[in-house]
Amino acid sequence: MSDPSGEDKQQPQPISANARRVLGVLVEKAKTTPDNYPMTASALISGCNQKSNRAPQMKLDETDVLNALDELRGVGAAREIQGNGRVTKFRHAAYDWLELDNPQAAIITELLLRGPQTLGELRTRASRMHSIDDLDATKQVIDSLIAKGLVEALSPPGRGQTFAHTLYPPEERQHLQARVEKQAAQAPQENRNAVDALIARLDAVTDRIDDLEARLKRLES
């Protein structure tokens, strides 16, 4: 990454799956439930393990979340503050760490919480945090994140193209790419099967029509 001063900016380093989930929850809750933000460790555990808007499902405990917070603080992505009644709370620093604006933060958060997604999925899901007008506007946000080195396309352009953030450690990134390539290899066969099934249905309907026409002719004669 580079800035107008000509100095290269260091690419944000990859973070663990637990840290990505915690960071995603912090940004999400700051947007969707601001009255309950900053968040306690207990609230973060619930947010990380909730059933909706999460993929994969996780079962983090207090140790997992606190270790993830230590990791995030170490890279400058989260901060600890003192809440009311001396309860320790946490807030994200994603806007500074990744240099994001509101629409970019919404897209990155969805990728952190749900993994790779298509343009349409991202537009629909990110709109709960920041309204995005249409697919063209979503593509502009994606392109800006790609230019920052924070998002990449996992599949070729076209319908169903999938995007992911770039905060995966190398071994996870390799596994992710292999999974996407496997799905792409299976798609043609699945499409052929669907076409064959449709042709069979059409043939059956045509046979029924021919049979009905023949019966009508017999009745008319």
Side-chain angles (χ1 to χ4, degrees), residues 15-87:
I15 53 178
S16 68
N18 289 355
R20 296 195 305 269
R21 176 59 58 88
V22 169
L23 180 60
V25 170
L26 283 169
V27 182
E28 176 197 48
K29 299 306 183 184
K31 292 275 193 182
T32 60
T33 56
D35 290 344
N36 297 321
Y37 180 85
M39 303 179 69
T40 63
S42 178
L44 276 167
I45 293 169
S46 297
C48 289
N49 297 338
Q50 72 181 54
K51 302 299 184 182
S52 61
N53 304 321
R54 306 286 184 266
Q57 294 295 311
M58 300 179 82
K59 293 183 178 180
L60 304 188
D61 58 23
E62 184 175 13
T63 299
D64 295 327
V65 167
L66 291 177
N67 286 340
L69 286 165
D70 284 342
E71 182 180 348
L72 291 172
R73 285 184 292 173
V75 299
R79 298 182 181 124
E80 179 180 322
I81 65 171
Q82 204 68 42
N84 294 331
R86 296 185 178 275
V87 176

Side-chain angles (χ1 to χ4, degrees), residues 19 80 82 97-98 103 122 132 146 174 179-180 182 199 214:
E80 179 180 322
Q82 204 68 42
W97 184 49
L98 301 177
L122 285 168
I132 303 177
I146 290 174
Q174 291 174 2
R179 190 176 70 189
V180 170
K182 181 179 179 180
I199 291 172

